[in-house]
Structures are given as C-alpha cells and as structure tokens.
Amino acid sequence: MDNFIYSIPTTAYFGKGQIKVLGETIKTYGGSKVLLAYGGGSIKKNGIYDAVIEQLDKADLARVELSGIQPNPRIESVEEGIDLFRRNGCDFILAVGGGSTLDACKAIAAGVEFDGPATDLFVNESGLSPIYDAAPLATILTMAGTGSEMDMGAVITVGEDHKKKVVMHPLLNPRFSILDPEYTFSVPEYHSMAGAADILCHLMEQYFTNDVAAKVQDRMNEGVMKVVLEDAVKILANPQDYDARANIMWASSMALAGFQFLLGKPSPTFPLHGMGHELSSMYDMTHGVTLALLTPAWMRHTISAAPEHLPIFARFARNVFDIREEDDAKAAEQGVARLVEFYAAIKMPANLRDAGVREEDLAVIAGKAVENGKLGILASLGKDEVLQILRAAFTG
C-alpha cells in the first residue's frame, strides 16, 4: 500500500432537524452576509427554502440570493455568483440543493478570491486548481448522489461544446454540510435512482484500480456498495422510507469523503466519468444515468483487454453480489449480469440507443473523451477502445 495523507475537514450534521444549527454555525466561521444559492426553485415548493430563511433570519444573517443554477452547472452561473458575492460584500456561501448547485458554489468560492477569469480556475498539471484562498462554504443537501457535500471537487460545464471541466482544491471542502434525509423525500424517482447509480459508480471506480494490498479500503467499499444495491430499491418501493433515504444519503457522502477508498492506491483517471461527462455534454443527459449506461460495457471490455485483473472482478462479484462461483471468469460475468439487473430494477435505460443517443455521434464522443489523454488504469483506453465500449453500450 502506498503512503497517504487523510483529512476530511468538513463537519457533517446528519439527521432530522439539523437545520437548527445553520445560522449559528455560519457565524462561527465568520459569516455575516450570505450568498444563498439554489437551483430551479423546488426548494420553495417543498418547504426547505422557508426553513433556511427562518434560520438565517433567526441568526440575523443578511443574504443575497443566486437562483436558477442548472443541472450540469454552467460557467455563466459561476461568473454570476462571483459578481454577486463581490458586489454585495458577502463573506460566506450557502449552497442548497443537489450536486449541481454544490459544484457551482465550490467554483464560486474559488473564484471570489481569484485574480483572473473563472475559466482559469480549472485544474492544471498539478492536478489542483491554481488558487491560494477561497470563500467559506456550507451545503444543505437535497439530493443524494454526487458526494460533493464531503469532497473538494466540482465539475463545471464550459463553452459552446458544453465541455465538462474540473475545479479541485482542499480549500473547497465545505466547512460543514447539513444532511437531513427527509429533505430527499420529494426528489423524483428518476433523479433518486440516477443518484444511486452515481454513488455506485464512485465506489466502483475506486475499487477497480489495481490489486494492491488496500484491504481495509476495499472491504469498506464493498459494504457501502451492498447498501446502495439494497436500499435504492427500497426507495423505489417507498420514497419516504427514512432509513433507506438515510443510508443512501450517507453512502453518497462516504463514497468520496476524502477519496477514502483510494487511499494507498494508484490514482485512477475515473474512465466512466470521463466518458459519461461527454454524454452529458452532448445530450444534457443526467450524470448518473450516463454511468449506468456505460459501466457494464466498460467492465466487459476491461475483463477482456486486461485478463490479468480478472480476480478483482471476480472478487467484486463474490463479495458484493454474494456469487458462489469458483471459476473467476464465470464469477466475473455473473457479477456484470447482476449489475445489469440492478440497473434495470431501478429503471435506468437499457442502452444508449434507448436513452436517445445517435449511433453516428459515438465516434465524436469517443474523441472528446480522450482529448486530454487516455483513460483507465486497469486497461488503457484511447479513442478506439472508448469507441468499442460506446458501441457495446449502444445496444446493451
């Protein structure tokens, strides 16, 4: 196992009624005037907005609002937020929503202290954004999936070709996050299940890295994957199942908390995210759905292209799906088949064609996915390999 440093500076306030800590906790971090950011307005329909305003008023905190942050958040929302923060003398950012709002606010937090355009905030050759300071940020999570409430990264959509780019720095870890599972009760079924697919992919892309001796990380990861598989279907049956919502919400947070399941492992390139982002860019497709569509095809390609890593896929099948097949190749294939069954059970599209992807776009998507270099860690993925995976995912 490689050396590592582990730090999660974000405090999580988890459970019912934790909104009560909001105002005073912001003040402990020096906040007096808050940039309150949210998306399309669902929080005004489900009562979360009123609860937030009540707590801000109770603590005598002034506020400025940034609304309308889009799914797959655009750089324009980031620029608008930076301008609002600066012009109004804000000193704290509060993101209320799902991953898109949280990601936009991380980029805003980086941008308000940055001497340059927002388009220069993205990671450079160091693997981090070129920032030296950031505004303090807190989050109130309303949809489980991205894990942005407990990590230091964000993905922002840029330009006419809707390219996904990454902002990442330890300074962008939220100071605190409020995680109330009841706030996810009203999330539509489709988005709840897409979030579950996103969580599962975060876990899998940290699991399928290399067969190094990181047993603690992998066994913990397997346990969280099993929870996602079990509790996502419970939410389908009863959207107000508090325990199922709580487990999925905490799985979302734990999946990327300090990238804990990568500790001691080689750093991967998250190939499924690299390909999935291009589907989202071209079709404005929900992020988690893209991952569900691509994962089985990627697994089968990797098993074929890098058979020396077959034991990892067999271990996944046995430890996550409880498959009792002694032959590694048969066990691995049964694991992929069970994963496909899970995606069908949570009502993900069966293939790219059913999701509305045009076959003639596959080569373009493959090229865009590797614009910044090859993907993958178990098997290297250039344009040809990505195209093979896309073609397999097109028909399912």
Side-chain angles (χ1 to χ4, degrees):
M1 192 189 310
D2 295 338
N3 294 355
F4 60 82
I5 298 172
Y6 184 49
S7 173
I8 305 179
T10 301
T11 300
Y13 293 92
F14 189 96
K16 299 177 184 179
Q18 292 286 25
I19 191 73
K20 65 182 183 293
V21 307
L22 179 63
E24 292 303 319
T25 308
I26 288 175
K27 290 167 74 171
T28 65
Y29 289 102
S32 62
K33 191 169 189 178
V34 177
L35 177 66
L36 170 61
Y38 50 93
S42 62
I43 65 169
K44 291 187 175 181
K45 299 175 183 176
N46 58 27
I48 297 173
Y49 175 85
D50 290 339
V52 170
I53 298 303
E54 179 183 356
Q55 294 301 319
L56 295 179
D57 288 347
K58 185 177 179 181
D60 295 320
L61 290 166
R63 68 181 185 275
V64 176
E65 297 188 18
L66 171 65
S67 63
I69 295 175
Q70 318 92 327
N72 300 313
R74 300 278 306 177
I75 190 69
E76 288 80 6
S77 287
V78 174
E79 293 167 338
E80 182 182 358
I82 293 170
D83 181 61
L84 276 174
F85 187 100
R86 288 172 172 170
R87 282 194 295 108
N88 290 279
C90 297
D91 52 21
F92 199 92
I93 301 173
L94 176 61
V96 183
S100 293
T101 297
L102 274 55
D103 279 10
C105 285
K106 286 181 180 178
I108 293 167
V112 297
E113 301 291 345
F114 184 69
D115 185 19
T119 48
D120 287 348
L121 288 170
F122 302 109
V123 295
N124 55 27
E125 61 278 359
S126 72
L128 295 174
S129 295
I131 64 173
Y132 301 95
D133 199 2
L137 165 71
T139 79
I140 299 175
L141 190 65
T142 64
M143 186 169 69
T146 69
S148 195
E149 66 276 7
M150 291 283 281
D151 72 20
M152 63 178 179
V155 178
I156 305 297
T157 302
V158 183
E160 293 183 0
D161 62 349
H162 295 183
K163 188 70 176 177
K164 298 293 190 77
K165 295 191 176 183
V166 175
V167 178
M168 184 173 292
H169 198 280
L171 290 169
L172 302 180
N173 283 291
R175 298 296 201 273
F176 67 95
S177 289
I178 293 175
L179 310 172
D180 186 337
E182 291 187 324
Y183 284 5
T184 65
F185 281 2
S186 62
V187 176
E189 178 182 279
Y190 177 80
H191 292 291
S192 292
M193 295 303 101
D198 193 6
I199 298 165
L200 190 60
C201 189
H202 290 157
L203 294 163
M204 292 177 69
E205 291 208 84
Q206 294 174 88
Y207 189 82
F208 293 114
T209 55
N210 219 323
D211 200 8
V212 299
K215 291 183 179 179
V216 173
Q217 294 87 310
D218 283 340
R219 297 306 170 267
M220 291 170 63
N221 189 330
E222 289 163 359
V224 181
M225 283 193 272
K226 288 173 75 75
V227 169
V228 176
L229 295 170
E230 293 166 3
D231 282 45
V233 293
K234 292 180 182 178
I235 292 171
L236 270 179
N238 178 11
Q240 295 193 353
D241 183 331
Y242 179 84
D243 289 334
R245 289 286 191 181
N247 282 318
I248 291 295
M249 177 175 269
W250 194 234
S252 165
S253 299
M254 289 295 95
L256 291 180
F259 294 98
Q260 61 176 324
F261 299 130
L262 278 176
L263 299 176
K265 293 186 169 192
S267 296
T269 57
F270 282 81
L272 288 162
H273 278 69
M275 293 184 283
H277 285 325
E278 298 307 331
L279 285 171
S280 292
S281 295
M282 183 169 288
Y283 291 96
D284 201 27
M285 193 180 297
T286 301
H287 175 59
V289 175
T290 71
L291 303 175
L293 288 164
L294 293 169
T295 301
W298 171 82
M299 292 177 74
R300 288 184 171 120
H301 173 89
T302 306
I303 290 168
S304 175
E308 67 273 20
H309 296 302
L310 177 63
I312 305 176
F313 291 88
R315 186 183 69 207
F316 166 80
R318 295 178 182 126
N319 292 357
V320 177
F321 285 105
D322 299 320
I323 288 167
R324 293 294 172 259
E325 169 59 59
E326 293 185 4
D327 181 83
D328 280 357
K330 292 179 180 178
E333 177 52 39
Q334 288 178 33
V336 178
R338 290 283 297 277
L339 183 64
V340 171
E341 290 174 5
F342 169 73
Y343 289 140
I346 64 170
K347 304 182 182 180
M348 293 292 99
N351 52 54
L352 292 176
R353 180 173 53 206
D354 288 356
V357 175
R358 296 179 295 271
E359 188 171 12
E360 59 267 27
D361 290 337
L362 297 182
V364 175
I365 294 168
K368 287 169 65 66
V370 296
E371 281 179 345
N372 296 320
K374 292 185 176 182
L375 304 174
I377 190 166
L378 297 181
S380 180
L381 305 178
K383 180 180 177 180
D384 290 344
E385 291 78 16
V386 171
L387 184 56
Q388 290 174 26
I389 293 168
L390 291 171
R391 285 175 173 160
F394 185 77
T395 57

